[in-house]
Amino acid sequence: MLPGQRSGLYNYGSHGQGDYSNSQYGVLGVWAASEAGLEVPMSYWRTVENAWLRGQHADGGWGYTPRDAASYASMTAAALATLYITHDYLHARDSQNLERPFVNKPLAAGLEWMANNFAVDSNPGFSGAGRGIDEGGDPTDPWVHY
């Protein structure tokens, strides 16, 4: 994981700002290790959750990095999966109180973004501009867009 303001994110190597694609991959690895019995401190899950919450846009979605202005489906799906994991570790007890229901507002906003924007044939919101993506390729090819 990266230090400082990038805390809770993962990246390629030691430089860069961190991105949500690598970060989801890292979190999934730690989650699998935790499910296999490795003790993971609660502070890890809080740090991860905070990193993803810092990157949520006002529209409820996420971009590839915290700097991205646009939300798009692939990273919003990654964020939702990650926040469901952190929810299980950090907020599961809150969710069990039936007298006072707990609403995870960031998850709800992300799910609403997906409900309003998801498409099976594209990655809504993602243009690929500035990412070295071959924009002349087949727009339905998932390797061009992700």
Coordinates of all heavy atoms in Angstrom, one line a residue, residues 35-131:
E35 N -9.7 -14.5 4.7 CA -10.7 -15.6 4.6 C -10.0 -16.9 4.9 O -10.7 -17.9 5.4 CB -11.5 -15.6 3.3 CG -12.4 -14.4 3.1 CD -13.6 -14.4 4.1 OE1 -14.3 -15.4 4.2 OE2 -13.7 -13.4 4.9
A36 N -8.8 -17.0 4.5 CA -8.0 -18.3 4.8 C -7.4 -18.4 6.2 O -6.8 -19.3 6.5 CB -6.9 -18.4 3.7
G37 N -7.6 -17.3 7.0 CA -7.2 -17.4 8.4 C -6.1 -16.4 8.8 O -5.8 -16.3 9.9
L38 N -5.5 -15.6 7.8 CA -4.5 -14.6 8.2 C -5.2 -13.5 9.0 O -6.3 -13.0 8.6 CB -3.9 -14.1 6.9 CG -2.8 -13.0 7.2 CD1 -1.5 -13.6 7.7 CD2 -2.5 -12.2 5.9
E39 N -4.6 -13.1 10.1 CA -5.2 -12.0 10.8 C -4.8 -10.7 10.2 O -3.7 -10.3 10.0 CB -4.7 -12.0 12.3 CG -5.4 -11.0 13.2 CD -5.0 -11.1 14.6 OE1 -4.6 -12.2 15.0 OE2 -5.0 -10.1 15.3
V40 N -5.9 -9.9 9.8 CA -5.7 -8.6 9.2 C -6.2 -7.6 10.1 O -7.4 -7.7 10.5 CB -6.4 -8.5 7.8 CG1 -6.3 -7.2 7.2 CG2 -5.9 -9.6 6.8
P41 N -5.4 -6.6 10.5 CA -5.9 -5.6 11.5 C -7.1 -4.8 10.9 O -7.1 -4.5 9.7 CB -4.7 -4.7 11.7 CG -3.5 -5.3 11.0 CD -4.0 -6.4 10.1
M42 N -8.0 -4.4 11.8 CA -9.1 -3.6 11.4 C -8.6 -2.3 10.9 O -9.3 -1.7 10.0 CB -10.0 -3.4 12.6 CG -10.7 -4.6 13.1 SD -11.6 -5.5 11.9 CE -13.1 -4.6 12.0
S43 N -7.5 -1.8 11.3 CA -7.0 -0.5 10.8 C -6.7 -0.6 9.2 O -6.9 0.4 8.5 CB -5.7 -0.1 11.5 OG -4.7 -1.1 11.3
Y44 N -6.3 -1.8 8.8 CA -6.2 -2.0 7.3 C -7.5 -1.7 6.6 O -7.5 -1.0 5.6 CB -5.6 -3.4 7.0 CG -5.6 -3.7 5.5 CD1 -4.6 -3.3 4.7 CD2 -6.7 -4.4 4.9 CE1 -4.6 -3.5 3.4 CE2 -6.7 -4.6 3.6 CZ -5.7 -4.1 2.8 OH -5.7 -4.4 1.4
W45 N -8.6 -2.4 7.1 CA -9.9 -2.2 6.4 C -10.3 -0.8 6.4 O -10.9 -0.3 5.5 CB -10.9 -3.2 7.0 CG -10.5 -4.6 6.9 CD1 -10.1 -5.5 7.9 CD2 -10.2 -5.3 5.7 NE1 -9.8 -6.7 7.4 CE2 -9.8 -6.6 6.0 CE3 -10.4 -5.0 4.3 CZ2 -9.5 -7.6 5.1 CZ3 -10.1 -6.0 3.4 CH2 -9.7 -7.3 3.7
R46 N -10.1 -0.1 7.6 CA -10.5 1.4 7.7 C -9.7 2.2 6.7 O -10.2 3.1 6.0 CB -10.3 1.9 9.1 CG -11.4 1.6 10.0 CD -11.3 2.3 11.3 NE -10.2 1.9 12.2 CZ -10.3 0.8 12.9 NH1 -11.3 0.0 12.9 NH2 -9.2 0.4 13.6
T47 N -8.4 1.9 6.6 CA -7.5 2.7 5.6 C -8.0 2.5 4.2 O -8.1 3.4 3.4 CB -6.1 2.3 5.8 OG1 -5.7 2.5 7.2 CG2 -5.2 3.0 4.8
V48 N -8.3 1.2 3.9 CA -8.8 0.9 2.5 C -10.1 1.6 2.3 O -10.3 2.3 1.2 CB -8.9 -0.6 2.3 CG1 -9.7 -1.0 1.1 CG2 -7.5 -1.2 2.2
E49 N -11.1 1.5 3.2 CA -12.4 2.1 3.0 C -12.2 3.6 2.8 O -12.8 4.2 1.9 CB -13.3 1.8 4.2 CG -14.7 2.4 4.0 CD -15.6 2.1 5.2 OE1 -15.3 2.5 6.3 OE2 -16.5 1.3 5.0
N50 N -11.4 4.2 3.6 CA -11.2 5.7 3.5 C -10.6 6.1 2.2 O -11.0 7.1 1.6 CB -10.4 6.2 4.7 CG -11.1 6.2 6.0 OD1 -12.3 6.3 6.0 ND2 -10.4 6.1 7.1
A51 N -9.7 5.3 1.7 CA -9.1 5.6 0.4 C -10.2 5.6 -0.8 O -10.2 6.4 -1.6 CB -8.0 4.6 0.0
W52 N -11.0 4.6 -0.7 CA -12.1 4.5 -1.7 C -13.1 5.5 -1.5 O -13.7 6.1 -2.5 CB -12.7 3.1 -1.7 CG -11.7 2.1 -2.3 CD1 -10.6 1.5 -1.7 CD2 -11.7 1.5 -3.6 NE1 -10.0 0.7 -2.6 CE2 -10.6 0.7 -3.8 CE3 -12.6 1.7 -4.7 CZ2 -10.4 0.0 -4.9 CZ3 -12.3 1.0 -5.9 CH2 -11.2 0.2 -6.0
L53 N -13.5 5.9 -0.3 CA -14.5 6.9 -0.1 C -13.9 8.3 -0.5 O -14.7 9.1 -1.1 CB -14.9 7.0 1.4 CG -15.6 5.7 1.9 CD1 -15.9 5.9 3.4 CD2 -16.9 5.4 1.1
R54 N -12.6 8.5 -0.4 CA -12.1 9.8 -0.9 C -12.2 9.9 -2.4 O -12.2 11.0 -2.9 CB -10.6 9.9 -0.5 CG -10.3 10.2 0.9 CD -8.8 10.5 1.2 NE -7.9 9.6 0.6 CZ -7.3 8.6 1.2 NH1 -7.7 8.3 2.5 NH2 -6.4 7.8 0.7
G55 N -12.3 8.8 -3.1 CA -12.3 8.9 -4.6 C -13.7 8.8 -5.1 O -13.9 8.9 -6.3
Q56 N -14.8 8.7 -4.3 CA -16.1 8.7 -4.8 C -16.5 10.0 -5.3 O -16.4 11.0 -4.6 CB -17.1 8.1 -3.8 CG -18.5 7.9 -4.3 CD -19.4 7.2 -3.3 OE1 -19.2 7.3 -2.1 NE2 -20.4 6.4 -3.9
H57 N -17.1 10.1 -6.5 CA -17.5 11.4 -7.1 C -18.9 11.7 -6.5 O -19.6 10.9 -6.0 CB -17.6 11.2 -8.6 CG -16.2 11.0 -9.2 ND1 -16.1 10.3 -10.3 CD2 -15.0 11.4 -8.8 CE1 -14.8 10.2 -10.6 NE2 -14.1 10.9 -9.7
A58 N -19.3 13.0 -6.7 CA -20.6 13.4 -6.3 C -21.7 12.7 -6.9 O -22.8 12.5 -6.4 CB -20.7 14.9 -6.6
D59 N -21.5 12.1 -8.1 CA -22.5 11.4 -8.8 C -22.7 9.9 -8.3 O -23.5 9.2 -8.7 CB -22.3 11.4 -10.3 CG -21.1 10.6 -10.8 OD1 -20.3 10.0 -10.0 OD2 -20.8 10.6 -12.0
G60 N -21.8 9.5 -7.4 CA -21.8 8.2 -6.8 C -20.9 7.2 -7.4 O -20.7 6.1 -6.8
G61 N -20.2 7.6 -8.5 CA -19.3 6.6 -9.1 C -17.8 6.9 -8.9 O -17.5 7.8 -8.1
W62 N -17.0 6.1 -9.5 CA -15.5 6.3 -9.4 C -14.9 6.3 -10.7 O -15.4 5.7 -11.7 CB -14.9 5.1 -8.6 CG -15.1 5.1 -7.1 CD1 -14.1 5.5 -6.2 CD2 -16.2 4.7 -6.4 NE1 -14.6 5.4 -4.9 CE2 -15.9 4.9 -5.0 CE3 -17.5 4.3 -6.7 CZ2 -16.8 4.7 -4.0 CZ3 -18.4 4.0 -5.7 CH2 -18.1 4.2 -4.3
G63 N -13.7 6.9 -10.8 CA -12.8 6.8 -12.0 C -11.7 5.9 -11.7 O -11.6 5.2 -10.6
Y64 N -10.7 5.8 -12.6 CA -9.6 4.9 -12.5 C -8.7 5.4 -11.3 O -8.1 4.5 -10.6 CB -8.8 4.9 -13.8 CG -7.7 3.9 -13.8 CD1 -7.9 2.5 -13.8 CD2 -6.4 4.4 -13.8 CE1 -6.8 1.6 -13.8 CE2 -5.3 3.5 -13.8 CZ -5.5 2.1 -13.9 OH -4.5 1.2 -13.9
T65 N -8.5 6.7 -11.1 CA -7.7 7.2 -10.1 C -8.5 8.3 -9.3 O -9.5 8.8 -9.8 CB -6.4 7.9 -10.6 OG1 -6.8 9.1 -11.3 CG2 -5.6 7.0 -11.6
P66 N -8.0 8.6 -8.1 CA -8.7 9.7 -7.4 C -8.7 11.0 -8.2 O -9.6 11.8 -7.9 CB -7.8 9.8 -6.1 CG -7.2 8.5 -6.0 CD -6.9 8.0 -7.4
R67 N -7.8 11.2 -9.1 CA -7.8 12.5 -9.9 C -8.8 12.5 -11.0 O -9.1 13.5 -11.6 CB -6.4 12.7 -10.5 CG -5.3 12.7 -9.5 CD -3.9 13.0 -10.2 NE -3.6 12.1 -11.3 CZ -3.1 10.8 -11.2 NH1 -2.9 10.3 -10.0 NH2 -2.9 10.1 -12.2
D68 N -9.3 11.4 -11.5 CA -10.2 11.3 -12.6 C -11.5 12.0 -12.3 O -12.1 11.8 -11.3 CB -10.5 9.9 -13.0 CG -9.4 9.2 -13.7 OD1 -8.5 9.9 -14.2 OD2 -9.4 7.9 -13.8
A69 N -11.9 12.9 -13.3 CA -13.1 13.7 -13.1 C -14.4 12.8 -13.4 O -15.4 13.1 -12.8 CB -13.1 14.9 -14.0
A70 N -14.3 11.9 -14.3 CA -15.4 11.1 -14.8 C -15.5 9.8 -14.0 O -14.5 9.2 -13.7 CB -15.3 10.9 -16.3
S71 N -16.8 9.4 -13.8 CA -17.1 8.1 -13.2 C -17.3 7.1 -14.4 O -17.8 7.5 -15.4 CB -18.3 8.1 -12.4 OG -18.2 9.0 -11.3
Y72 N -16.8 5.9 -14.2 CA -17.2 4.9 -15.2 C -17.4 3.5 -14.5 O -17.0 3.3 -13.4 CB -16.2 4.9 -16.4 CG -14.8 4.8 -16.1 CD1 -14.1 3.6 -16.1 CD2 -14.1 6.0 -15.8 CE1 -12.7 3.6 -15.9 CE2 -12.7 6.0 -15.6 CZ -12.0 4.8 -15.7 OH -10.7 4.7 -15.4
A73 N -18.1 2.7 -15.3 CA -18.7 1.5 -14.8 C -17.7 0.5 -14.2 O -17.9 -0.1 -13.1 CB -19.5 0.8 -15.8
S74 N -16.5 0.3 -14.9 CA -15.6 -0.8 -14.4 C -15.0 -0.4 -13.0 O -14.9 -1.3 -12.2 CB -14.5 -1.0 -15.4 OG -13.8 0.2 -15.6
M75 N -14.7 0.9 -12.8 CA -14.1 1.3 -11.5 C -15.2 1.4 -10.5 O -15.0 1.2 -9.3 CB -13.3 2.5 -11.7 CG -12.0 2.3 -12.4 SD -10.9 1.1 -11.7 CE -11.3 -0.4 -12.5
T76 N -16.4 1.8 -10.9 CA -17.5 1.8 -9.9 C -17.9 0.4 -9.4 O -18.1 0.2 -8.2 CB -18.8 2.5 -10.5 OG1 -18.4 3.9 -10.9 CG2 -19.9 2.6 -9.5
A77 N -17.8 -0.6 -10.3 CA -18.0 -2.0 -9.9 C -16.9 -2.4 -9.0 O -17.2 -3.1 -8.0 CB -18.1 -2.9 -11.2
A78 N -15.7 -2.1 -9.3 CA -14.5 -2.4 -8.4 C -14.7 -1.8 -7.0 O -14.5 -2.4 -6.0 CB -13.2 -2.0 -9.0
A79 N -15.2 -0.5 -7.0 CA -15.4 0.2 -5.8 C -16.5 -0.5 -4.9 O -16.3 -0.7 -3.7 CB -15.7 1.6 -6.0
L80 N -17.6 -0.9 -5.6 CA -18.7 -1.5 -4.9 C -18.2 -2.8 -4.3 O -18.5 -3.1 -3.1 CB -19.9 -1.7 -5.8 CG -20.6 -0.4 -6.2 CD1 -21.6 -0.7 -7.3 CD2 -21.2 0.2 -5.0
A81 N -17.5 -3.6 -5.0 CA -17.0 -4.9 -4.5 C -16.1 -4.7 -3.3 O -16.2 -5.3 -2.3 CB -16.2 -5.7 -5.6
T82 N -15.2 -3.7 -3.4 CA -14.3 -3.4 -2.3 C -15.0 -2.9 -1.1 O -14.7 -3.3 0.0 CB -13.2 -2.3 -2.8 OG1 -12.5 -2.9 -3.9 CG2 -12.2 -2.0 -1.7
L83 N -16.0 -2.0 -1.3 CA -16.7 -1.4 -0.2 C -17.6 -2.5 0.5 O -17.9 -2.4 1.7 CB -17.5 -0.2 -0.6 CG -16.7 1.0 -0.9 CD1 -17.6 2.2 -1.3 CD2 -15.8 1.4 0.3
Y84 N -18.1 -3.5 -0.3 CA -18.8 -4.6 0.3 C -17.9 -5.4 1.2 O -18.3 -5.8 2.3 CB -19.5 -5.5 -0.7 CG -20.8 -5.1 -1.1 CD1 -21.1 -4.6 -2.4 CD2 -21.9 -5.2 -0.2 CE1 -22.4 -4.2 -2.8 CE2 -23.2 -4.8 -0.6 CZ -23.4 -4.3 -1.9 OH -24.7 -3.9 -2.2
I85 N -16.6 -5.6 0.8 CA -15.7 -6.3 1.7 C -15.4 -5.5 2.9 O -15.5 -6.0 4.0 CB -14.4 -6.5 0.9 CG1 -14.6 -7.5 -0.2 CG2 -13.3 -7.0 1.8 CD1 -13.5 -7.6 -1.2
T86 N -15.1 -4.2 2.8 CA -14.8 -3.4 4.0 C -16.1 -3.3 4.9 O -16.0 -3.2 6.1 CB -14.3 -2.0 3.6 OG1 -15.3 -1.2 2.9 CG2 -13.0 -2.1 2.9
H87 N -17.3 -3.2 4.2 CA -18.5 -3.2 5.0 C -18.6 -4.4 5.9 O -19.0 -4.3 7.1 CB -19.7 -3.1 4.1 CG -21.0 -3.1 4.8 ND1 -21.6 -1.9 5.2 CD2 -21.8 -4.1 5.2 CE1 -22.7 -2.2 5.8 NE2 -22.9 -3.5 5.9
D88 N -18.3 -5.6 5.4 CA -18.4 -6.8 6.2 C -17.4 -6.8 7.4 O -17.8 -7.2 8.5 CB -18.0 -8.0 5.3 CG -19.1 -8.5 4.5 OD1 -20.3 -8.0 4.7 OD2 -18.9 -9.3 3.6
Y89 N -16.3 -6.2 7.3 CA -15.3 -6.1 8.4 C -15.6 -5.0 9.3 O -15.4 -5.1 10.5 CB -13.9 -6.0 7.9 CG -13.4 -7.3 7.3 CD1 -13.5 -7.5 5.9 CD2 -12.9 -8.3 8.1 CE1 -13.0 -8.7 5.4 CE2 -12.4 -9.5 7.6 CZ -12.5 -9.7 6.2 OH -12.1 -10.9 5.7
L90 N -16.1 -3.9 8.8 CA -16.3 -2.7 9.7 C -17.7 -2.3 10.1 O -17.9 -1.7 11.1 CB -15.7 -1.4 8.9 CG -14.3 -1.5 8.5 CD1 -13.9 -0.4 7.6 CD2 -13.3 -1.6 9.7
H91 N -18.7 -2.8 9.3 CA -20.1 -2.3 9.6 C -21.1 -3.4 9.7 O -22.3 -3.1 9.9 CB -20.5 -1.3 8.5 CG -19.5 -0.2 8.3 ND1 -19.3 0.8 9.2 CD2 -18.7 0.0 7.2 CE1 -18.4 1.6 8.7 NE2 -18.0 1.2 7.5
A92 N -20.7 -4.6 9.7 CA -21.6 -5.7 9.7 C -22.5 -5.7 11.0 O -23.7 -6.0 10.9 CB -20.9 -7.1 9.6
R93 N -21.9 -5.4 12.1 CA -22.7 -5.4 13.4 C -23.8 -4.3 13.3 O -24.9 -4.4 13.8 CB -21.8 -5.2 14.6 CG -21.0 -6.4 14.9 CD -20.3 -6.2 16.2 NE -19.5 -7.4 16.5 CZ -18.3 -7.4 17.1 NH1 -17.9 -6.3 17.6 NH2 -17.7 -8.5 17.3
D94 N -23.4 -3.1 12.7 CA -24.3 -2.0 12.6 C -25.5 -2.4 11.7 O -26.7 -2.0 12.0 CB -23.7 -0.8 11.9 CG -22.5 -0.3 12.8 OD1 -22.6 -0.4 14.0 OD2 -21.6 0.3 12.2
S95 N -25.3 -3.3 10.8 CA -26.3 -3.7 9.8 C -27.3 -4.7 10.5 O -28.4 -4.9 9.9 CB -25.7 -4.4 8.6 OG -24.9 -3.4 7.9
Q96 N -27.0 -5.3 11.6 CA -27.8 -6.3 12.2 C -28.9 -5.7 13.1 O -29.7 -6.4 13.6 CB -26.9 -7.3 13.0 CG -26.0 -8.1 12.0 CD -25.1 -9.0 12.8 OE1 -25.0 -9.0 14.0 NE2 -24.3 -9.7 12.0
N97 N -28.8 -4.4 13.4 CA -29.8 -3.8 14.3 C -31.0 -3.5 13.5 O -31.1 -2.5 12.8 CB -29.2 -2.5 14.9 CG -30.1 -1.9 15.9 OD1 -31.3 -2.2 16.0 ND2 -29.6 -0.9 16.6
L98 N -32.0 -4.3 13.7 CA -33.3 -4.2 12.9 C -34.1 -3.0 13.4 O -35.0 -2.5 12.7 CB -34.1 -5.5 12.9 CG -33.3 -6.7 12.3 CD1 -34.2 -7.9 12.4 CD2 -33.0 -6.4 10.8
E99 N -33.9 -2.6 14.6 CA -34.7 -1.5 15.2 C -34.2 -0.1 14.6 O -35.0 0.8 14.5 CB -34.6 -1.5 16.7 CG -35.3 -2.6 17.3 CD -35.2 -2.6 18.8 OE1 -34.8 -1.6 19.4 OE2 -35.5 -3.7 19.4
R100 N -32.9 -0.1 14.3 CA -32.3 1.1 13.7 C -31.5 0.8 12.5 O -30.3 0.6 12.6 CB -31.5 1.8 14.8 CG -31.0 3.2 14.5 CD -30.4 3.8 15.7 NE -29.6 5.0 15.3 CZ -28.4 5.2 15.6 NH1 -27.8 4.5 16.5 NH2 -27.8 6.3 15.2
P101 N -32.1 0.6 11.4 CA -31.4 0.1 10.2 C -30.2 1.0 9.8 O -30.3 2.2 9.9 CB -32.5 0.2 9.1 CG -33.8 0.2 9.8 CD -33.5 0.9 11.1
F102 N -29.1 0.4 9.4 CA -27.9 1.0 9.0 C -27.9 1.1 7.5 O -28.1 0.1 6.8 CB -26.7 0.2 9.5 CG -25.4 0.8 9.0 CD1 -24.8 1.9 9.6 CD2 -24.7 0.3 7.9 CE1 -23.6 2.4 9.2 CE2 -23.5 0.8 7.5 CZ -23.0 1.8 8.1
V103 N -27.7 2.3 7.0 CA -27.6 2.5 5.5 C -26.2 2.9 5.2 O -25.7 4.0 5.7 CB -28.6 3.6 5.0 CG1 -28.5 3.8 3.5 CG2 -30.1 3.1 5.3
N104 N -25.5 2.2 4.4 CA -24.2 2.5 3.9 C -24.4 3.5 2.7 O -24.6 3.0 1.6 CB -23.4 1.3 3.6 CG -22.0 1.5 3.3 OD1 -21.6 2.5 2.6 ND2 -21.1 0.7 3.8
K105 N -24.4 4.8 3.0 CA -24.7 5.7 1.9 C -23.7 5.7 0.7 O -24.2 5.8 -0.4 CB -24.8 7.1 2.5 CG -26.0 7.3 3.4 CD -26.0 8.7 4.0 CE -27.2 8.8 5.0 NZ -27.3 10.1 5.7
P106 N -22.4 5.5 0.9 CA -21.6 5.4 -0.3 C -21.9 4.2 -1.1 O -21.9 4.3 -2.4 CB -20.2 5.3 0.3 CG -20.3 6.0 1.7 CD -21.7 5.6 2.2
L107 N -22.2 3.1 -0.5 CA -22.6 1.9 -1.3 C -23.9 2.2 -2.0 O -24.0 1.8 -3.2 CB -22.8 0.7 -0.4 CG -21.5 -0.2 -0.1 CD1 -21.8 -1.2 0.9 CD2 -21.0 -0.8 -1.4
A108 N -24.8 2.8 -1.3 CA -26.1 3.1 -2.0 C -26.0 4.0 -3.2 O -26.6 3.8 -4.2 CB -27.1 3.7 -0.9
A109 N -25.1 5.0 -3.0 CA -24.9 6.0 -4.1 C -24.2 5.3 -5.3 O -24.5 5.5 -6.5 CB -24.0 7.1 -3.6
G110 N -23.2 4.4 -5.0 CA -22.6 3.7 -6.1 C -23.5 2.7 -6.8 O -23.5 2.6 -8.0
L111 N -24.4 2.0 -6.1 CA -25.4 1.2 -6.7 C -26.3 1.9 -7.5 O -26.7 1.5 -8.6 CB -26.1 0.4 -5.6 CG -25.3 -0.7 -4.9 CD1 -26.1 -1.3 -3.7 CD2 -25.0 -1.9 -5.9
E112 N -26.7 3.1 -7.1 CA -27.6 4.0 -7.9 C -26.9 4.4 -9.2 O -27.5 4.4 -10.2 CB -28.0 5.2 -7.1 CG -29.0 6.0 -7.8 CD -29.6 7.2 -7.0 OE1 -29.3 7.3 -5.8 OE2 -30.2 8.1 -7.6
W113 N -25.6 4.7 -9.1 CA -24.8 5.1 -10.3 C -24.9 4.0 -11.3 O -25.1 4.1 -12.5 CB -23.4 5.5 -9.9 CG -22.7 6.1 -11.1 CD1 -22.6 7.4 -11.4 CD2 -22.1 5.4 -12.2 NE1 -21.9 7.6 -12.6 CE2 -21.6 6.4 -13.1 CE3 -21.8 4.1 -12.5 CZ2 -20.9 6.0 -14.3 CZ3 -21.2 3.7 -13.7 CH2 -20.7 4.7 -14.5
M114 N -24.6 2.7 -10.8 CA -24.6 1.6 -11.7 C -26.0 1.3 -12.3 O -26.1 1.0 -13.5 CB -24.1 0.3 -10.9 CG -22.6 0.3 -10.6 SD -21.6 0.3 -12.0 CE -21.7 -1.4 -12.5
A115 N -27.0 1.5 -11.5 CA -28.4 1.3 -12.0 C -28.7 2.2 -13.1 O -29.4 1.9 -14.1 CB -29.4 1.4 -10.8
N116 N -28.2 3.4 -13.0 CA -28.5 4.5 -14.0 C -27.6 4.5 -15.2 O -27.9 5.1 -16.2 CB -28.4 5.9 -13.3 CG -29.5 6.1 -12.3 OD1 -30.6 5.5 -12.5 ND2 -29.3 6.9 -11.3
N117 N -26.4 3.8 -15.1 CA -25.4 3.9 -16.1 C -24.9 2.6 -16.7 O -24.2 2.7 -17.8 CB -24.2 4.7 -15.6 CG -24.5 6.1 -15.3 OD1 -24.6 7.0 -16.1 ND2 -24.8 6.4 -14.0
F118 N -25.1 1.5 -16.1 CA -24.5 0.2 -16.6 C -25.0 -0.1 -18.0 O -26.1 0.1 -18.4 CB -24.9 -0.9 -15.6 CG -24.3 -2.2 -16.0 CD1 -23.0 -2.5 -15.8 CD2 -25.1 -3.2 -16.6 CE1 -22.4 -3.7 -16.2 CE2 -24.6 -4.4 -17.0 CZ -23.2 -4.6 -16.8
A119 N -24.0 -0.7 -18.7 CA -24.3 -1.2 -20.1 C -23.5 -2.5 -20.2 O -22.4 -2.6 -19.7 CB -24.0 -0.2 -21.1
V120 N -24.1 -3.4 -20.9 CA -23.4 -4.7 -21.1 C -22.4 -4.6 -22.3 O -21.5 -5.5 -22.4 CB -24.3 -5.9 -21.4 CG1 -25.2 -6.1 -20.2 CG2 -25.2 -5.7 -22.6
D121 N -22.5 -3.6 -23.2 CA -21.6 -3.6 -24.4 C -20.6 -2.5 -24.3 O -19.9 -2.3 -25.3 CB -22.5 -3.4 -25.6 CG -23.3 -2.2 -25.6 OD1 -23.4 -1.5 -24.5 OD2 -23.9 -1.8 -26.6
S122 N -20.4 -1.8 -23.2 CA -19.4 -0.8 -23.1 C -19.1 -0.5 -21.6 O -19.7 -1.1 -20.7 CB -19.9 0.5 -23.8 OG -21.0 1.1 -23.1
N123 N -18.1 0.4 -21.4 CA -17.8 0.8 -20.1 C -18.2 2.3 -19.9 O -17.4 3.2 -20.2 CB -16.2 0.7 -19.9 CG -15.8 1.0 -18.5 OD1 -16.6 1.2 -17.6 ND2 -14.5 1.0 -18.3
P124 N -19.5 2.5 -19.6 CA -20.0 3.9 -19.6 C -19.1 4.9 -18.8 O -18.6 4.5 -17.7 CB -21.3 3.7 -18.9 CG -21.7 2.4 -19.2 CD -20.5 1.6 -19.2
G125 N -18.9 6.0 -19.3 CA -18.1 7.1 -18.7 C -16.7 7.1 -19.1 O -16.0 8.1 -18.9
F126 N -16.1 6.0 -19.6 CA -14.7 5.8 -19.9 C -14.4 6.1 -21.3 O -14.9 5.5 -22.2 CB -14.2 4.5 -19.5 CG -12.7 4.3 -19.7 CD1 -11.8 5.0 -19.0 CD2 -12.2 3.4 -20.7 CE1 -10.5 4.9 -19.2 CE2 -10.9 3.2 -20.8 CZ -10.0 4.0 -20.1
S127 N -13.6 7.1 -21.6 CA -13.2 7.4 -23.0 C -11.9 6.9 -23.4 O -11.6 6.7 -24.6 CB -13.2 9.0 -23.2 OG -12.0 9.5 -22.5
G128 N -11.0 6.6 -22.4 CA -9.7 6.1 -22.7 C -8.7 7.2 -23.1 O -7.5 6.9 -23.3
A129 N -9.2 8.4 -23.3 CA -8.3 9.5 -23.7 C -7.2 9.7 -22.6 O -7.5 9.7 -21.4 CB -9.1 10.8 -23.8
G130 N -6.0 9.9 -23.1 CA -4.9 10.2 -22.2 C -4.3 9.0 -21.5 O -3.5 9.1 -20.6
R131 N -4.8 7.8 -21.8 CA -4.4 6.6 -21.1 C -3.6 5.6 -22.0 O -3.4 4.5 -21.6 CB -5.6 5.8 -20.5 CG -6.4 6.6 -19.6 CD -6.8 5.8 -18.4 NE -7.4 6.6 -17.4 CZ -6.8 7.2 -16.5 NH1 -5.5 7.2 -16.4 NH2 -7.4 8.0 -15.6

